[in-house]
Amino acid sequence: MVPSDALKHTYPLEPWCIRETAFDTASHFLDETLFALGNGYIGLRGTHEEGYTGPQGTSLDGTYLNGFYESESIHYPENAYGLARTNQFMLNVPNAKGIALWLEDERFDPLHGTLDSYERVLDFRTGQLRRTLEWTSPQGRKVSISSRRLVSFAEKHLFAIEYDVTPLNFSGAIMLVSTINGVVKNLEAGDDPRVGSAVSGRSLVLADIEQSPHFSALAQRTVNSGFMLVTAAQTEVRGVAEVALARNGEYLEQSYRVAAIQNETVRLTKYGCYFTSRDYPDNELMARAKATLAIASASGFRALASEQERYLADFWRHADVEIAGDDALQQGMRFNQFHLLQSVGRDGKTNISAKGVTGEGYEGHYFWDTEIYIFPFFLYSKPDIARKLLEYRYAGLQLARERARQMSHAKGALYPWRTIAGVECSAYYPAGTAQYHINADIAYSIKLYIEATNDEEYLLNCGAEIVMETARIWMGLGHFDRQGRYCINEVTGPDEYTALVNNNYYTNAMAKMHLEFAASIAERLEREWPQHAQRIARAVALEEGEPALWRRAASCMHLPYDEALRIHPQDDSFLDKKVWDFANTPSDKYPLLLHYHPLVIYRHQVCKQADVVLALLLLSDQFSLDDKRRDFDYYEAVTTHDSSLSSCIFSIIASEVGYRDKAYAYFMETARLDLDNTHGNTHYGVHTAAMAGTWMGVAYGFAGMRVVDGDLRFAPVLPEQWTHYQFNVHLRDCLLQVRVEQGCTTYRLLQGAALAFSHQGQRVALTVNSPVKECQ
């Protein structure tokens, strides 16, 4: 954990942007991540349009499409039945944002000549990446360059760039070259799975090329997964220009030579798009690309920019978290929320990966991070996006059924621990497939969603089927022991430094919740929608008596408790292990997973991340405050926080049990984890779960927000460093604003007819006629 006063903030502390005022090769790799743009589908790393010629290892010019992947067989030197057989990995696709600039015979390169001024801004309200600079060439020609880049939230396939060049001390020939570079490959992960993929070489083969004045397109196909990709761009230059086309293999150029006049601006506008056969038939892709670019061109960059601002204005109206008194946290909060919006799939077919669309870490896979860390932010800020994430899980239900059969479960569905299109991609089963809690995590998110939205249509058409099919796995996995307890053996909980254990507390507690929820859904269907109940029962082949058996297993669930220490053991054997020797572990040996064999770690009491402590949050009403404090104290002492998922959860529970300083320090690390690169690997991509954990830290932590069986509760505290904080919560067609100041919390009903909730245990009721309540 890094103390908040020890962090070095790279950028000026501004509330609605990050601003870079110098071009530096030392920070370039990190800047590419932080200044990335995306829309949940397209991701453009923040490399400049002109490319980069700096030192090797200081750049990864990546372009990514959420959900577009290549596949390959997983080869095991020692094989076993049921191991994951196919890996899927997100591809680095052709770079279509390239624009080269020539002044007579000199090519613009900020690392040559003199960069007289430079500024780049990622604006969270406009959704644009803006850059302005002045440069003097080695031969003395001086130009002003400004560019504006956006990736459209309204049209998921589209991005646009407006690029201006003004000669300041000369008149003469300027050439602008718009490029599509199809000669790309993925970053090789080496020994660190957090970095990239484990494959080398190219995964896309050329199928077709089209070029005409102002238009270029590449059609490529993946080698193994068989998907078609069309990358296309349309370029316009204002004024008279000589246009030329060129091609070098899969590198396409559109060149524009202009007789530039001193102090007069030459403008190039570029529209780019990506279409794949994951969305449309192969034979439609090129036509759709051309149509999209034609519409964008007819609208113009300014119209696209206005549309982008309107979308973001609506997003911030619902999602903004205002923090007064700590400029670093305010910037970090909005930076994180903006990147979450840029990363999340909104089409029901894609999800949100651990690195979003900013890098290739973890191969672009989706994890349980979505349901437990990221989903709450969207649920209570933009519930329409939350629903799309749940639709993605329904789309993968059949593959989850197939995976259950591979794992010898006669019934039910088992969701993969890591995946893109729904198959299990984890080659290391002790820390992957064994994390059966993924089923309960998904059920938990569905439970939150139904309680927060009353979306009966989703429950009847998707949710009920998922919850019941996944609940069945617990009956095939667990058993009643000789004492009548329901036990679940050989699983791995959230803590990846402890694997293949019996009765992991988090897993058992979440399974209990899951089984009870599944039984209640079955009973509610019979009571309220008997026709739907029959249809769903047929769809899942529900047998008579199954819901009752779920209830029985839940009521007998073994939830370990140590009477001597008065804590909840992480599993049956955790407290019997030797505590890791933290005092004699050098600081350069963290994270442990990169320096010690898994067995060395597994045989010790040491946690990578919150496990029992996470259960204290998700199942909050099942623990007393004293339980939470004792559990927190014990597990804090043995947790390394090597996972970026950890600090936010410890912050929330620290706040609840009254450890104000610890809560703030943990929260500070979470809020600026990427901006300050506290884990040292943000250059490979952002940490989306930690970003969402920042929102949780405010709402669940300092505001004490809990939703228990649909009942909304608050217990706000104000960190001494702040003068106030404010955020919104969507719940059942209502939008509630929560503002916490010294000695007073103000609740304001922004939309909806009426909303009732609790403040510090006291009931509060707001209506359209009485929309504001101040509470002490």
Side-chain angles (χ1 to χ4, degrees):
M1 181 172 61
V2 180
S4 60
D5 59 359
L7 293 173
K8 178 181 178 181
H9 307 311
T10 305
Y11 309 109
L13 299 180
E14 300 176 72
W16 286 105
C17 70
I18 56 172
R19 184 184 307 271
E20 179 184 50
T21 57
F23 184 79
D24 186 358
T25 58
S27 64
H28 185 269
F29 206 162
L30 175 63
D31 294 335
E32 286 181 333
T33 294
L34 301 182
F35 286 89
L37 280 183
N39 63 357
Y41 178 63
I42 299 173
L44 306 180
R45 279 178 63 85
T47 312
H48 300 295
E49 288 84 2
E50 304 86 4
Y52 178 72
T53 60
Q56 187 174 0
T58 60
S59 176
L60 171 62
D61 193 358
T63 304
Y64 309 106
L65 303 179
N66 190 2
F68 182 71
Y69 64 90
E70 174 63 309
S71 59
E72 63 174 2
S73 297
I74 302 174
H75 300 286
Y76 298 93
E78 297 183 26
N79 206 355
Y81 178 82
L83 296 179
R85 298 300 174 191
T86 304
N87 186 32
Q88 301 167 341
F89 55 95
M90 182 175 71
L91 285 174
N92 185 5
V93 299
N95 175 9
K97 68 179 184 292
I99 300 171
L101 169 63
W102 292 80
L103 313 179
E104 298 288 355
D105 59 344
E106 295 181 287
R107 180 167 179 166
F108 166 67
D109 185 336
L111 295 178
H112 297 87
T114 304
L115 200 56
D116 302 305
S117 66
Y118 174 90
E119 181 178 85
R120 183 165 60 155
V121 177
L122 178 63
D123 191 314
F124 311 148
R125 286 183 290 195
T126 66
Q128 289 188 40
L129 180 62
R130 302 191 304 270
R131 184 193 59 172
T132 58
L133 62 88
E134 290 187 2
W135 179 74
T136 303
S137 75
Q139 296 179 26
R141 297 182 182 93
K142 187 169 185 176
V143 291
S144 168
I145 301 171
S146 67
S147 63
R148 292 157 295 283
R149 182 190 304 177
L150 65 84
V151 182
S152 174
F153 285 114
E155 168 51 72
K156 81 170 192 175
H157 301 281
L158 180 71
F159 74 88
I161 300 170
E162 194 171 67
Y163 190 97
D164 290 349
V165 182
T166 307
L168 299 179
N169 67 351
F170 72 98
S171 296
I174 286 179
M175 187 166 70
L176 292 158
V177 185
S178 172
T179 63
I180 295 178
N181 183 6
V183 188
V184 294
K185 66 176 185 178
N186 278 53
L187 182 69
E188 295 179 47
D191 295 328
D192 190 343
R194 302 169 300 172
V195 169
S197 66
V199 299
S200 60
R202 298 190 58 199
S203 298
L204 291 165
V205 295
L206 181 64
D208 193 15
I209 287 177
E210 284 197 27
Q211 275 188 294
S212 60
H214 314 300
F215 175 81
S216 293
L218 278 176
Q220 297 166 306
R221 188 178 296 278
T222 57
V223 175
N224 297 317
S225 57
F227 297 129
M228 183 71 81
L229 163 67
V230 167
T231 304
Q234 183 163 317
T235 309
E236 303 164 356
V237 172
R238 187 174 63 187
V240 179
E242 297 177 17
V243 184
L245 308 179
R247 171 191 169 188
N248 182 8
E250 293 170 57
Y251 187 85
L252 310 182
E253 294 184 349
Q254 299 266 346
S255 298
Y256 299 83
R257 182 176 294 274
V258 179
I261 300 173
Q262 183 174 343
N263 295 323
E264 291 189 10
T265 298
V266 178
R267 171 170 292 173
L268 178 148
T269 307
K270 183 172 187 176
Y271 306 96
C273 66
Y274 296 89
F275 280 85
T276 84
S277 56
R278 288 216 70 197
D279 292 319
Y280 302 104
D282 291 7
N283 59 4
E284 295 182 13
L285 301 181
M286 190 67 74
R288 287 184 177 273
K290 291 178 179 178
T292 298
L293 295 176
I295 292 171
S297 177
S299 300
F301 187 91
R302 183 171 297 182
L304 294 177
S306 297
E307 187 175 48
Q308 192 86 335
E309 287 191 48
R310 288 193 298 273
Y311 183 94
L312 284 166
D314 178 73
F315 171 75
W316 290 119
R317 185 173 71 85
H318 292 86
D320 185 34
V321 177
E322 180 180 300
I323 298 172
D326 193 321
D327 294 340
L329 282 177
Q330 180 65 89
Q331 183 184 52
M333 173 63 69
R334 288 182 176 139
F335 172 84
N336 291 345
Q337 291 178 284
F338 181 69
H339 262 286
L340 285 169
L341 181 65
Q342 291 197 126
S343 298
V344 67
R346 295 177 287 128
D347 55 10
K349 296 183 290 186
T350 54
N351 199 285
I352 180 169
S353 71
K355 297 292 186 180
V357 286
T358 66
E360 301 164 27
Y362 299 105
E363 301 176 291
H365 289 159
Y366 313 137
F367 294 79
W368 66 290
D369 307 15
T370 297
E371 280 72 29
I372 298 304
Y373 290 84
I374 300 169
F375 184 82
F377 164 67
F378 286 110
L379 174 60
Y380 297 117
S381 299
K382 293 288 289 182
D384 56 321
I385 295 178
R387 168 155 178 166
K388 291 300 180 182
L389 292 172
L390 295 182
E391 289 178 5
Y392 165 82
R393 289 300 188 185
Y394 185 71
L397 181 57
Q398 184 54 40
L399 287 173
R401 289 186 176 111
E402 294 173 13
R403 182 57 177 160
R405 303 302 168 269
Q406 294 166 4
M407 294 300 294
S408 302
H409 297 288
K411 299 179 182 178
L414 176 61
Y415 277 93
W417 181 64
R418 59 188 294 174
T419 189
I420 294 179
V423 302
E424 178 62 82
C425 295
S426 175
Y428 186 64
Y429 74 86
T433 299
Q435 293 201 42
Y436 271 73
H437 63 84
I438 179 67
N439 270 17
D441 300 331
I442 293 170
Y444 182 86
S445 68
I446 293 173
K447 184 174 187 291
L448 285 185
Y449 177 77
I450 297 301
E451 292 171 353
T453 66
N454 287 333
D455 187 346
E456 295 176 353
E457 191 271 337
Y458 176 80
L459 176 66
L460 295 175
N461 292 324
C462 304
E465 195 173 339
I466 293 175
V467 172
M468 290 194 288
E469 280 283 65
T470 51
R472 284 170 150 173
I473 293 297
W474 302 118
M475 305 313 301
L477 182 64
H479 71 288
F480 293 96
D481 70 3
R482 289 177 295 176
Q483 301 175 52
R485 304 174 305 180
Y486 198 75
C487 297
I488 300 175
N489 295 332
E490 291 303 314
V491 297
T492 299
D495 170 32
E496 295 166 16
Y497 283 174
T498 311
L500 299 178
V501 297
N502 296 339
N503 297 308
N504 168 255
Y505 187 91
Y506 175 91
T507 301
N508 284 22
M510 291 291 283
K512 175 180 171 68
M513 173 280 304
H514 187 178
L515 290 164
E516 291 172 343
F517 181 45
S520 69
I521 284 179
E523 294 158 2
R524 184 182 177 191
L525 289 173
E526 288 288 353
R527 184 174 64 250
E528 299 181 23
W529 304 289
Q531 288 185 325
H532 286 288
Q534 293 176 13
R535 172 182 58 80
I536 294 170
R538 288 194 298 270
V540 302
L542 187 67
E543 297 180 8
E544 186 176 354
E546 275 193 86
L549 185 59
W550 298 340
R551 289 277 189 200
R552 180 181 167 223
S555 66
C556 297
M557 186 68 66
H558 176 39
L559 299 174
Y561 187 79
D562 186 276
E563 295 289 350
L565 295 176
R566 299 177 68 195
I567 66 167
H568 299 92
Q570 188 166 293
D571 57 71
D572 283 353
S573 62
F574 188 79
L575 299 181
D576 297 328
K577 297 176 180 177
K578 178 183 177 181
V579 175
W580 186 272
D581 186 3
F582 296 99
N584 292 306
T585 301
S587 59
D588 62 359
K589 294 298 184 182
Y590 294 92
L592 300 182
L593 66 94
L594 297 183
H595 302 281
Y596 300 91
H597 190 281
L599 285 176
V600 175
I601 299 173
Y602 294 162
R603 64 174 64 105
H604 286 85
Q605 269 192 67
V606 58
C607 299
K608 182 182 181 186
Q609 63 206 85
D611 195 298
V612 169
V613 177
L614 180 58
L616 302 179
L617 169 62
L618 302 185
L619 305 170
S620 181
D621 60 314
Q622 299 179 20
F623 305 91
S624 71
L625 195 62
D626 286 340
D627 282 335
K628 293 176 181 178
R629 187 176 292 110
R630 286 191 296 268
D631 282 343
F632 179 94
D633 290 343
Y634 190 88
Y635 288 104
E636 185 188 32
V638 296
T639 302
T640 65
H641 306 292
D642 284 348
S643 168
S644 62
L645 305 182
S646 192
S647 294
C648 64
I649 304 302
F650 273 80
S651 173
I652 293 166
I653 302 303
S655 183
E656 184 175 11
V657 301
Y659 296 159
R660 301 289 178 83
D661 291 343
K662 288 183 177 182
Y664 197 78
Y666 278 122
F667 177 74
M668 188 66 188
E669 180 179 356
T670 302
R672 293 189 60 94
L673 185 149
D674 284 316
L675 274 179
D676 294 326
N677 196 22
T678 58
H679 278 233
N681 62 359
T682 295
H683 45 291
Y684 292 117
V686 299
H687 300 76
T688 54
M691 288 177 152
T694 313
W695 182 90
M696 294 170 67
V698 172
Y700 289 175
F702 301 125
M705 174 180 157
R706 301 289 186 273
V707 182
V708 180
D709 295 329
D711 181 41
L712 180 62
R713 306 171 185 177
F714 295 99
V717 297
L718 180 69
E720 63 181 22
Q721 296 89 338
W722 302 354
T723 57
H724 78 261
Y725 61 96
Q726 178 179 295
F727 65 99
N728 298 334
V729 178
H730 266 277
L731 196 71
R732 294 187 290 277
D733 297 323
C734 294
L735 182 61
L736 175 69
Q737 182 187 86
V738 182
R739 183 181 179 91
V740 181
E741 301 172 279
Q742 185 64 45
C744 177
T745 300
T746 303
Y747 299 99
R748 187 181 303 271
L749 189 63
L750 300 179
Q751 70 182 47
L755 183 65
F757 53 91
S758 295
H759 169 85
Q760 303 287 13
Q762 302 298 312
R763 296 302 290 174
V764 177
L766 301 180
T767 66
V768 289
N769 296 321
S770 182
V772 181
K773 177 70 173 179
E774 292 186 359
C775 300
Q776 303 302 312

